[in-house]
Amino acid sequence: MKRVQVLDAAGIGKTLARMAAQIVEKSPDERSTYLIGVQTRGVPLARRLAALVAAATGVEPPVGALDITLYRDDVGPWRAAHRQPVLRSTDLPERVDDRVVVLVDDVLYTGRTVRAALDTLMDYGRPRAIRLAVLIDRGHRELPIAADFVGRVVPSSRSDDVQVRLRECDGEEGVWIEKEVEG
C-alpha cells in the first residue's frame, strides 16, 4: 500500500474557510441555516463550519449531530459480513422544520450514506431545503446525489481507501489516500 497525503491540517482549515464562505453566500437568511453533521467526522466538521460562518456573519448557526446507523443499507442480517452496528447519538438542539439544513460529512463516495442521512433527517421534520457539504468528494456514485459544497475532489479508484483524520476524533489532522501498489 502507498499512503499519500492529500490535505494537512492547514489545508483542511483553508478548505473549510472556503466552504463556509460558500455557505454564507448561498444562504440569504443566515438565521434559518442549521448545520447537521453526520456521525462521526461530520459532527466536528459541522462545528468548525458553524464557527467560521459566525465569524463572517455574526450569527452562529445551530449545530446538530445525526446518527444514521439504523437507516444504512449495508448493515443487517442480509449482509454476509453482518456485525453488530455501533449506535451513536442524534442530537438536534432545534427543530428542522422550515430550516435550511446543511448536512455535513467527511467523504462523499457512493451516495448511500447521504441517502441514509436524508431518510433519518426526514423522520425529524420537514426542512425548507437540504444542502450537502462534504470535505472530500471521491466520486463513484451509485445514487444520483451531488454535494452543494465540496472542499476537495479527490480522484480515486474503488480499491483506494480515503482516510479523513480529525483531531477531535482521531488525535491527528489530515486527509490521506491509500492506494494499492501493484508489483
Side-chain angles (χ1 to χ4, degrees):
M1 293 293 247
K2 179 181 177 186
R3 191 174 192 222
V4 177
Q5 189 165 25
V6 176
L7 288 172
D8 59 11
I12 290 175
K14 289 177 188 174
T15 301
L16 291 174
R18 186 173 36 77
M19 292 173 67
Q22 292 171 350
I23 290 169
V24 168
E25 181 181 323
K26 303 267 191 214
S27 301
D29 175 16
E30 64 268 352
R31 295 199 185 281
S32 71
T33 302
Y34 190 173
L35 278 71
I36 298 178
V38 177
Q39 290 281 19
T40 297
R41 287 172 188 81
V43 176
L45 290 172
R47 288 185 183 126
R48 292 185 197 184
L49 285 168
L52 291 164
V53 167
T57 65
V59 177
E60 185 162 357
V63 177
L66 194 64
D67 178 36
I68 64 164
T69 304
L70 297 177
Y71 290 81
R72 295 184 61 94
D73 63 4
D74 61 351
V75 295
W78 58 90
R79 299 291 294 183
H82 175 68
R83 57 188 150 93
Q84 187 66 32
V86 176
L87 297 178
R88 294 180 172 81
S89 65
T90 291
D91 177 25
L92 300 175
E94 296 189 17
R95 296 180 52 84
V96 300
D97 296 309
D98 204 34
R99 301 297 291 266
V100 176
V101 170
V102 179
L103 274 177
V104 182
D105 204 4
D106 57 347
V107 179
L108 177 56
Y109 181 32
T110 62
R112 293 183 179 278
T113 296
V114 176
R115 188 229 24 105
L118 291 169
D119 287 348
T120 306
L121 186 62
M122 297 310 287
D123 279 350
Y124 287 92
R126 188 177 189 285
R128 181 181 331 150
I130 302 172
R131 308 281 182 252
L132 177 61
V134 296
L135 182 63
I136 303 293
D137 182 345
R138 65 172 291 187
H140 305 289
R141 232 53 98 240
E142 295 174 3
L143 300 173
I145 291 175
D148 300 279
F149 311 105
V150 177
R152 184 91 169 258
V153 175
V154 176
S156 66
S157 72
R158 286 191 175 272
S159 63
D160 292 342
D161 183 24
V162 175
Q163 303 169 349
V164 174
R165 312 277 290 168
L166 301 174
R167 67 180 176 272
E168 297 93 335
C169 304
D170 309 298
E172 67 177 325
E173 187 94 1
V175 178
W176 291 267
I177 186 166
E178 269 194 11
K179 297 180 172 282
E180 287 187 32
V181 178
E182 306 225 359

